[in-house]
Amino acid sequence: MSGRRLHVQASRLRAQLDTRALAVLDTLYRFRLLTTAQVQRLYLVSGVPGSRIRRTQYLMKRLQTLALVVRLSRVIGGVRAGSSGFVYGLSALGQAVLDVSGPAGGRRRRVWETTPYFQDHMLMVAELYVGLREAERQGQAMLLTFTSEPGCWRHFTGSGGELVVLKPDAYVRVGFQAVERRVFIEVDLATESLPTIVRKSARYVAYWRSGVEQQRAGVFPQVVWLVPDQHRLQNIQRALGSLAVEASGLFEVALIDAGPRLLMAPPELEEKPDHSSSRPPP
DNA sequence: ACTTACCACATGGTTTGTAA
DNA sequence: TTACAAACCATGTGGTAAGT
């Protein structure tokens, strides 16, 4: 399909979508993949409980019929019992619809033909976002920013003068009454080796030492590793122990299920050593 | 066009039953 | 006791129908 034609079709489609449908597409753009259940938890929270999911299915089916989303694999007979729902990604047309109103930005993304691991990882990042939105709905904290890849990437110059790219899974700002928490998120599914974890973490330390983020944003975010189970949590904590002592306070490791609760809870004010404003000696 | 209710279907893990 | 099979269960989805 040629660009011009696509654009015309996208404009026409956009006109007949309501704000909720557009929001779904936009969120799909940000996270690349979403499950039906996640869409429901984000955008169909009112009404009779039993019918919410049904309405979500109706909505997603409509978007699929319009070729705005693509439906990926479905695992039936899931982990314990029952099925997992469908997983949706944005189609090229869906992306074009977002482009209509301006810079949806980056290059086209392809969500299908991806490995199960990447799918799981993307869905976990999305899951964290959904969890944070739900926590926000009930709690006092506000989710000010949730930037996923690649928007949350950071570029800086390493000690050898080389260009380094830091690739967190997400950058999160949570607002409380007077204070604000900023966090880089690393979602870990226990698929990477501990040396890889350490290497990634060292890159955060290098970025911290560069002072770029502090200059840009005033503070350096905490780096939170979210892991699937207790065993992995201990392993990563131990691995992080090998990093420079003064950098250890940068990191926190937590269970991924506890992620939203942790991030939306007001920070205790006494706190550990403050890395945010101070630059370490060269 | 959208919402809601109801029921059947698909399917793998879990449990229970049975034979070796 | 072990090994395998049948029955059961959980869960999201789809169709349909009726209501708004």
Side-chain angles (χ1 to χ4, degrees):
Chain A
M1 193 178 325
S2 88
R4 178 82 202 132
R5 220 184 110 98
L6 185 75
H7 183 77
V8 170
Q9 191 182 0
S11 302
R12 199 172 42 225
L13 271 172
R14 187 187 172 86
Q16 56 179 278
L17 294 174
D18 58 9
T19 54
R20 182 168 61 192
L22 286 171
V24 171
L25 294 182
D26 186 58
T27 307
L28 221 34
Y29 175 79
R30 291 174 61 192
F31 296 101
R32 312 181 68 169
L33 295 177
L34 291 173
T35 65
T36 308
Q38 286 171 338
V39 172
Q40 182 265 305
R41 288 157 63 200
L42 284 173
Y43 297 114
L44 290 104
V45 291
S46 64
V48 183
S51 84
R52 288 176 198 167
I53 200 68
R54 205 71 191 78
R55 283 151 62 206
T56 312
Q57 289 167 344
Y58 180 78
L59 169 65
M60 295 314 287
K61 178 157 192 180
R62 203 157 44 92
L63 292 178
Q64 192 200 12
T65 305
L66 294 171
L68 295 170
V69 301
V70 290
R71 197 142 77 173
L72 307 187
S73 60
R74 178 187 175 204
V75 181
I76 299 182
V79 182
R80 245 190 102 259
S83 320
S84 75
F86 280 118
V87 174
Y88 292 91
L90 199 59
S91 72
L93 180 59
Q95 205 169 114
V97 164
L98 294 176
D99 282 331
V100 168
S101 67
R107 63 183 84 94
R108 292 276 145 76
R109 294 168 166 183
R110 218 159 257 270
V111 289
W112 47 98
E113 300 166 25
T114 174
T115 68
Y117 165 70
F118 280 123
Q119 284 191 18
D120 288 349
H121 191 262
M122 287 186 258
L123 287 174
M124 277 320 257
V125 175
E127 181 63 25
L128 177 67
Y129 174 72
V130 174
L132 287 172
R133 280 285 177 231
E134 286 180 327
E136 179 185 44
R137 217 171 283 139
Q138 324 169 325
Q140 61 287 59
M142 288 232 311
L143 182 57
L144 303 173
T145 304
F146 191 109
T147 312
S148 53
E149 299 187 81
C152 62
W153 290 358
R154 298 289 192 271
H155 303 262
F156 66 102
T157 309
S159 54
E162 78 283 10
L163 191 67
V164 185
V165 185
L166 181 77
K167 299 182 176 180
D169 291 321
Y171 171 65
V172 178
R173 287 170 56 224
V174 177
F176 304 89
Q177 291 82 353
V179 285
E180 186 178 314
R181 169 181 286 145
R182 301 187 186 188
V183 184
F184 286 127
I185 299 289
E186 284 284 344
V187 173
D188 171 83
L189 297 181
T191 52
E192 289 175 307
S193 71
L194 289 177
T196 305
I197 303 294
V198 171
R199 200 159 1 97
K200 272 192 178 181
S201 301
R203 189 166 286 199
Y204 279 100
V205 177
Y207 182 52
W208 169 57
R209 291 212 164 109
S210 80
V212 171
E213 183 80 15
Q214 295 90 318
Q215 179 139 37
R216 201 183 81 151
V219 296
F220 195 86
Q222 191 175 31
V223 181
V224 175
W225 285 93
L226 294 176
V227 302
D229 55 61
Q230 198 67 39
H231 184 243
R232 181 70 172 176
L233 187 146
Q234 283 158 2
N235 282 342
I236 289 193
Q237 267 176 344
R238 202 168 330 119
L240 292 179
S242 68
L243 294 169
V245 187
E246 78 271 18
S248 64
L250 280 180
F251 299 97
E252 176 153 0
V253 190
L255 293 178
I256 191 152
D257 298 335
R261 211 169 348 110
L262 171 75
L263 297 178
M264 300 298 273
E268 331 86 50
L269 288 177
E270 354 88 48
E271 279 299 327
K272 323 156 184 175
D274 179 16
H275 291 282
S276 36
S277 43
S278 62
R279 281 190 62 169

Tab-separated table of all heavy atoms in Angstrom, chain A residues 175-199:
chain	number	residue	atom	x	y	z
A	175	GLY	N	4.139	11.076	41.297
A	175	GLY	CA	4.003	12.271	42.109
A	175	GLY	C	3.211	12.015	43.377
A	175	GLY	O	2.146	11.401	43.346
A	176	PHE	N	3.770	12.473	44.499
A	176	PHE	CA	3.038	12.459	45.765
A	176	PHE	C	2.711	13.916	46.087
A	176	PHE	O	2.937	14.783	45.243
A	176	PHE	CB	3.888	11.803	46.839
A	176	PHE	CG	4.326	10.417	46.436
A	176	PHE	CD1	5.507	10.235	45.731
A	176	PHE	CD2	3.551	9.317	46.708
A	176	PHE	CE1	5.902	8.967	45.321
A	176	PHE	CE2	3.936	8.051	46.301
A	176	PHE	CZ	5.117	7.871	45.608
A	177	GLN	N	2.196	14.177	47.270
A	177	GLN	CA	1.809	15.556	47.545
A	177	GLN	C	2.940	16.522	47.223
A	177	GLN	O	2.829	17.387	46.373
A	177	GLN	CB	1.397	15.725	49.017
A	177	GLN	CG	0.111	15.036	49.379
A	177	GLN	CD	0.318	13.558	49.673
A	177	GLN	OE1	1.413	13.025	49.483
A	177	GLN	NE2	-0.726	12.901	50.142
A	178	ALA	N	4.037	16.350	47.917
A	178	ALA	CA	5.111	17.333	47.767
A	178	ALA	C	6.318	16.769	47.035
A	178	ALA	O	7.137	17.512	46.521
A	178	ALA	CB	5.537	17.841	49.147
A	179	VAL	N	6.423	15.477	47.012
A	179	VAL	CA	7.631	14.893	46.445
A	179	VAL	C	7.334	14.089	45.191
A	179	VAL	O	6.185	13.805	44.858
A	179	VAL	CB	8.335	13.977	47.479
A	179	VAL	CG1	9.035	14.793	48.525
A	179	VAL	CG2	7.349	13.021	48.056
A	180	GLU	N	8.375	13.740	44.535
A	180	GLU	CA	8.244	13.018	43.289
A	180	GLU	C	9.292	11.911	43.259
A	180	GLU	O	10.417	12.099	43.688
A	180	GLU	CB	8.485	13.991	42.137
A	180	GLU	CG	8.233	13.405	40.790
A	180	GLU	CD	8.439	14.444	39.687
A	180	GLU	OE1	7.940	15.572	39.826
A	180	GLU	OE2	9.131	14.122	38.713
A	181	ARG	N	8.865	10.769	42.780
A	181	ARG	CA	9.820	9.670	42.651
A	181	ARG	C	10.109	9.441	41.170
A	181	ARG	O	9.197	9.414	40.349
A	181	ARG	CB	9.235	8.402	43.267
A	181	ARG	CG	10.045	7.149	42.930
A	181	ARG	CD	9.447	5.903	43.531
A	181	ARG	NE	9.690	5.845	44.962
A	181	ARG	CZ	8.826	5.340	45.830
A	181	ARG	NH1	7.653	4.924	45.421
A	181	ARG	NH2	9.127	5.303	47.101
A	182	ARG	N	11.382	9.260	40.895
A	182	ARG	CA	11.755	8.950	39.511
A	182	ARG	C	12.519	7.642	39.496
A	182	ARG	O	13.393	7.428	40.330
A	182	ARG	CB	12.612	10.062	38.925
A	182	ARG	CG	11.874	11.385	38.948
A	182	ARG	CD	12.622	12.450	38.234
A	182	ARG	NE	11.937	13.728	38.411
A	182	ARG	CZ	12.263	14.835	37.784
A	182	ARG	NH1	13.271	14.843	36.939
A	182	ARG	NH2	11.590	15.938	37.991
A	183	VAL	N	12.176	6.824	38.550
A	183	VAL	CA	12.713	5.473	38.543
A	183	VAL	C	13.006	5.002	37.118
A	183	VAL	O	12.215	5.237	36.208
A	183	VAL	CB	11.701	4.480	39.173
A	183	VAL	CG1	12.294	3.090	39.248
A	183	VAL	CG2	11.280	4.944	40.551
A	184	PHE	N	14.137	4.371	36.966
A	184	PHE	CA	14.381	3.565	35.770
A	184	PHE	C	13.963	2.137	36.093
A	184	PHE	O	14.336	1.601	37.132
A	184	PHE	CB	15.863	3.561	35.384
A	184	PHE	CG	16.344	4.836	34.774
A	184	PHE	CD1	17.462	5.487	35.276
A	184	PHE	CD2	15.699	5.383	33.673
A	184	PHE	CE1	17.921	6.667	34.691
A	184	PHE	CE2	16.155	6.569	33.089
A	184	PHE	CZ	17.273	7.211	33.599
A	185	ILE	N	13.222	1.550	35.192
A	185	ILE	CA	12.728	0.196	35.429
A	185	ILE	C	13.485	-0.809	34.560
A	185	ILE	O	13.668	-0.600	33.363
A	185	ILE	CB	11.225	0.090	35.087
A	185	ILE	CG1	10.399	1.030	35.967
A	185	ILE	CG2	10.751	-1.346	35.218
A	185	ILE	CD1	10.308	0.609	37.409
A	186	GLU	N	13.882	-1.883	35.180
A	186	GLU	CA	14.389	-3.033	34.441
A	186	GLU	C	13.509	-4.235	34.776
A	186	GLU	O	13.472	-4.679	35.923
A	186	GLU	CB	15.842	-3.336	34.825
A	186	GLU	CG	16.862	-2.379	34.225
A	186	GLU	CD	17.116	-2.651	32.739
A	186	GLU	OE1	16.748	-3.738	32.255
A	186	GLU	OE2	17.693	-1.758	32.083
A	187	VAL	N	12.789	-4.707	33.807
A	187	VAL	CA	11.972	-5.897	34.017
A	187	VAL	C	12.799	-7.129	33.668
A	187	VAL	O	13.272	-7.274	32.546
A	187	VAL	CB	10.701	-5.856	33.148
A	187	VAL	CG1	9.960	-7.173	33.245
A	187	VAL	CG2	9.814	-4.708	33.580
A	188	ASP	N	12.953	-7.981	34.643
A	188	ASP	CA	13.782	-9.163	34.475
A	188	ASP	C	12.918	-10.405	34.536
A	188	ASP	O	12.115	-10.573	35.449
A	188	ASP	CB	14.838	-9.191	35.593
A	188	ASP	CG	15.588	-10.508	35.604
A	188	ASP	OD1	16.531	-10.638	34.819
A	188	ASP	OD2	15.217	-11.396	36.396
A	189	LEU	N	13.064	-11.266	33.555
A	189	LEU	CA	12.279	-12.496	33.552
A	189	LEU	C	13.147	-13.712	33.842
A	189	LEU	O	12.820	-14.827	33.455
A	189	LEU	CB	11.567	-12.656	32.198
A	189	LEU	CG	10.557	-11.562	31.861
A	189	LEU	CD1	9.902	-11.829	30.521
A	189	LEU	CD2	9.491	-11.451	32.942
A	190	ALA	N	14.253	-13.462	34.486
A	190	ALA	CA	15.174	-14.540	34.857
A	190	ALA	C	15.695	-15.283	33.635
A	190	ALA	O	15.962	-16.474	33.686
A	190	ALA	CB	14.507	-15.511	35.837
A	191	THR	N	15.834	-14.572	32.544
A	191	THR	CA	16.332	-15.202	31.325
A	191	THR	C	17.763	-14.778	31.007
A	191	THR	O	18.411	-15.381	30.171
A	191	THR	CB	15.454	-14.825	30.121
A	191	THR	OG1	15.320	-13.408	30.082
A	191	THR	CG2	14.098	-15.458	30.235
A	192	GLU	N	18.222	-13.758	31.683
A	192	GLU	CA	19.574	-13.280	31.407
A	192	GLU	C	20.524	-13.755	32.489
A	192	GLU	O	20.149	-13.919	33.647
A	192	GLU	CB	19.592	-11.757	31.332
A	192	GLU	CG	18.899	-11.212	30.094
A	192	GLU	CD	18.814	-9.702	30.101
A	192	GLU	OE1	18.320	-9.154	31.110
A	192	GLU	OE2	19.241	-9.074	29.121
A	193	SER	N	21.775	-13.932	32.095
A	193	SER	CA	22.768	-14.398	33.049
A	193	SER	C	23.112	-13.271	34.021
A	193	SER	O	22.944	-12.091	33.719
A	193	SER	CB	24.025	-14.847	32.315
A	193	SER	OG	24.690	-13.726	31.789
A	194	LEU	N	23.603	-13.657	35.180
A	194	LEU	CA	23.958	-12.653	36.176
A	194	LEU	C	25.058	-11.709	35.691
A	194	LEU	O	24.989	-10.508	35.962
A	194	LEU	CB	24.343	-13.337	37.488
A	194	LEU	CG	23.152	-13.963	38.219
A	194	LEU	CD1	23.603	-14.693	39.467
A	194	LEU	CD2	22.111	-12.925	38.562
A	195	PRO	N	26.069	-12.200	34.996
A	195	PRO	CA	27.054	-11.259	34.447
A	195	PRO	C	26.418	-10.204	33.544
A	195	PRO	O	26.846	-9.054	33.545
A	195	PRO	CB	27.999	-12.172	33.656
A	195	PRO	CG	27.892	-13.485	34.326
A	195	PRO	CD	26.485	-13.594	34.809
A	196	THR	N	25.412	-10.609	32.788
A	196	THR	CA	24.718	-9.634	31.949
A	196	THR	C	24.018	-8.587	32.807
A	196	THR	O	24.040	-7.393	32.511
A	196	THR	CB	23.674	-10.344	31.058
A	196	THR	OG1	24.346	-11.359	30.314
A	196	THR	CG2	23.013	-9.362	30.122
A	197	ILE	N	23.408	-9.046	33.880
A	197	ILE	CA	22.747	-8.125	34.802
A	197	ILE	C	23.751	-7.137	35.371
A	197	ILE	O	23.499	-5.925	35.437
A	197	ILE	CB	22.089	-8.916	35.970
A	197	ILE	CG1	21.100	-9.939	35.436
A	197	ILE	CG2	21.437	-7.960	36.948
A	197	ILE	CD1	19.904	-9.382	34.766
A	198	VAL	N	24.894	-7.661	35.760
A	198	VAL	CA	25.920	-6.802	36.351
A	198	VAL	C	26.410	-5.791	35.314
A	198	VAL	O	26.604	-4.611	35.615
A	198	VAL	CB	27.090	-7.657	36.882
A	198	VAL	CG1	28.253	-6.772	37.302
A	198	VAL	CG2	26.624	-8.514	38.046
A	199	ARG	N	26.601	-6.258	34.100
A	199	ARG	CA	27.074	-5.358	33.047
A	199	ARG	C	26.069	-4.228	32.808
A	199	ARG	O	26.430	-3.065	32.703
A	199	ARG	CB	27.309	-6.165	31.766
A	199	ARG	CG	28.218	-5.484	30.790
A	199	ARG	CD	28.866	-6.446	29.766
A	199	ARG	NE	28.491	-7.841	29.888
A	199	ARG	CZ	27.530	-8.419	29.160
A	199	ARG	NH1	26.825	-7.707	28.317
A	199	ARG	NH2	27.286	-9.708	29.297
